[in-house]
Amino acid sequence: MATQKQKVAIIGSGNCAIAKIIGLINLSGFNTVRHSDVFERRVDMYVYEEKVDGQNLTEIINKEHTNQKYLPNVALPENVVATPSVEEAAKDATLLVFVLPHQFILNICKALKGNLSPNAQAISMIKGVDVREGKISIFADVIQEALGVPCSALSGANIANEVARDKFSETTIGYRHGRRKQAELFFKLFDTPNFRVGLIEDVAGVSLCGALKNIIAIGAGFCDGLGWGDNAKAAIMRIGILEMKNFAQEFFVDVKPETFTETSAGIADLITTCFGGRNRKCAEAFVKTGKPFNVLEAELLNGQKLQGTETAREVCQFLTERKRLDGYPLFKTIYRIAYEGLEPSKLTAEL
């Protein structure tokens, strides 16, 4: 009896580089076709409907096979089909890939609750944390609890426009205890010769690396805006990864220290984010222009969300409630510069 094939759905369209990886290997083949014994060919992608040059974004993606809003001039595989209905995109899917900004995840989970395949499992690429009522959660846990499906996490040094252009990069999948076999399905879905995937049994560590490194990238951007040079930025990165690891191990269970030092999700992604990416870019502009972050987000990010400042706010709110804010002086200082008017030149004063 033939094994049922896995049906893939992408929930979100802001990172269409991931859509390219799922559908495309190198320039000519498809992962879903390459592994035709494992996956169905068609990949449905939920896209928030909006107008771009007078046309619906979903229609542009399906007719022209590009996402002109977020990743213009990069071809998407023809087997990736955009739909404005998240319920329709996820119908009968067994592998759900979440790439939404974290601000939208709770409403999306409400829409999906009760509308999923009984065999569904998920993977989260969401960069952020959920802080409510004095508790902090990673979004892989939020998704798992809200939908009742097991959820892994993916994060790493893979800036979208470079991945989409088939430049070499790595990523890391964090999986849960006893679910190595399920993680290997996602490995097969994503891994290509130019997009290498590593596996580690550490969902929390991988998720927190993806969230917390954005705070440190804001600090790196402050360094650039001040013209402090690479030595200062290196110091911010060293202190930053130490605070990231300490925070993860203090407030989450079974986080592995090697996730921060030996995987793409850890030090590699921190380096990439501190030298490129939107958080560093906006923080540099914050220092040079004096404009608030919400204005810079609108001016510089073409509809994408700035995640480092919001994560800094949420993390520092959590630490304040736990009376532990002073134990994380870099997180605290970045938050105070972003939200409380502290001069950027004070970045290293308490380190």
Side-chain angles (χ1 to χ4, degrees):
M1 185 174 178
T3 303
Q4 182 181 5
K5 293 182 181 181
Q6 303 290 326
K7 187 177 189 302
V8 179
I10 304 170
I11 310 302
S13 63
N15 188 347
C16 275
I18 297 303
K20 188 179 179 73
I21 295 160
I22 289 173
L24 189 63
I25 176 172
N26 270 342
L27 299 177
S28 59
F30 295 90
N31 261 7
T32 47
V33 172
R34 175 189 178 209
H35 302 295
S36 60
D37 58 325
V38 178
F39 304 112
E40 291 188 14
R41 185 180 189 278
R42 173 171 168 147
V43 176
D44 288 288
M45 178 170 67
Y46 164 65
V47 176
Y48 176 76
E49 192 69 282
E50 53 190 313
K51 295 287 186 180
V52 178
D53 296 330
Q55 298 183 70
N56 288 337
L57 182 56
T58 55
E59 294 176 1
I60 295 173
I61 292 172
N62 291 333
K63 289 180 181 179
E64 301 178 12
H65 304 293
T66 62
N67 185 333
Q68 293 298 333
K69 177 71 174 179
Y70 295 112
L71 208 60
N73 305 316
V74 173
L76 298 175
E78 293 185 3
N79 61 325
V80 175
V81 180
T83 173
S85 166
V86 67
E87 295 93 341
E88 186 65 26
K91 184 179 180 181
D92 300 324
T94 55
L95 299 178
L96 302 168
V97 181
F98 282 85
V99 292
L100 293 161
H102 73 273
Q103 295 92 329
F104 308 122
I105 191 61
L106 294 178
N107 285 336
I108 290 295
C109 285
K110 287 178 182 177
L112 291 176
K113 180 70 174 177
N115 294 314
L116 297 177
S117 164
N119 300 318
Q121 61 174 312
I123 192 165
S124 170
M125 302 180 192
I126 299 168
K127 306 297 191 290
V129 289
D130 183 46
V131 176
R132 284 181 289 169
E133 300 175 355
K135 298 180 180 179
I136 188 167
S137 303
I138 57 170
F139 279 97
D141 288 348
V142 172
I143 293 167
Q144 181 163 293
E145 182 177 344
L147 297 180
V149 302
C151 188
S152 303
L154 183 148
S155 190
N158 31 81
I159 293 175
N161 62 352
E162 295 182 12
V163 176
R165 290 170 175 81
D166 206 33
K167 295 183 177 181
F168 181 85
S169 60
E170 300 176 308
T171 198
T172 306
I173 290 175
Y175 63 92
R176 298 182 187 274
H177 179 70
R179 300 200 66 87
R180 170 85 185 200
K181 183 177 180 180
Q182 288 77 10
E184 288 173 353
L185 282 173
F186 285 114
F187 173 89
K188 189 166 287 188
L189 185 63
F190 291 115
D191 187 70
T192 77
N194 280 340
F195 191 77
R196 299 289 179 82
V197 179
L199 299 175
I200 190 167
E201 189 182 303
D202 188 4
V203 175
V206 169
S207 296
L208 290 164
C209 282
L212 299 176
K213 53 93 176 181
N214 287 328
I215 303 177
I216 310 308
I218 296 291
F222 292 156
C223 282
D224 289 340
L226 292 162
W228 280 3
D230 291 339
N231 292 338
K233 187 186 287 191
I236 294 300
M237 293 165 62
R238 181 194 67 79
I239 297 166
I241 198 149
L242 183 62
E243 289 196 11
M244 288 166 57
K245 180 173 70 71
N246 289 348
F247 181 91
Q249 293 188 304
E250 180 173 355
F251 298 110
F252 289 81
V253 177
D254 296 330
V255 170
K256 296 182 176 181
E258 58 264 35
T259 300
F260 294 82
T261 56
E262 299 178 19
T263 75
S264 181
I267 187 65
D269 196 14
L270 180 67
I271 292 169
T272 296
T273 308
C274 287
F275 281 91
R278 51 192 157 179
N279 292 283
R280 188 221 60 81
K281 177 182 180 180
C282 286
E284 180 182 14
F286 175 86
V287 175
K288 289 183 173 180
T289 68
K291 295 179 180 179
F293 276 106
N294 63 322
V295 173
L296 293 169
E297 180 184 75
E299 290 182 353
L300 300 178
L301 299 187
N302 192 33
Q304 292 185 308
K305 295 297 182 182
L306 182 66
Q307 295 167 312
T309 51
E310 180 67 10
T311 303
R313 184 189 64 79
E314 292 170 327
V315 165
C316 288
Q317 173 191 327
F318 172 78
L319 288 170
T320 299
E321 292 171 352
R322 294 295 184 99
K323 295 181 170 52
R324 287 289 292 130
L325 185 59
D326 288 340
Y328 295 86
L330 182 57
F331 287 171
K332 176 183 176 181
T333 303
I334 290 170
Y335 166 78
R336 291 189 62 203
I337 294 170
Y339 286 97
E340 295 183 350
L342 184 69
E343 285 294 322
S345 61
K346 301 295 186 181
L347 178 62
T348 59
E350 296 183 10
L351 302 183

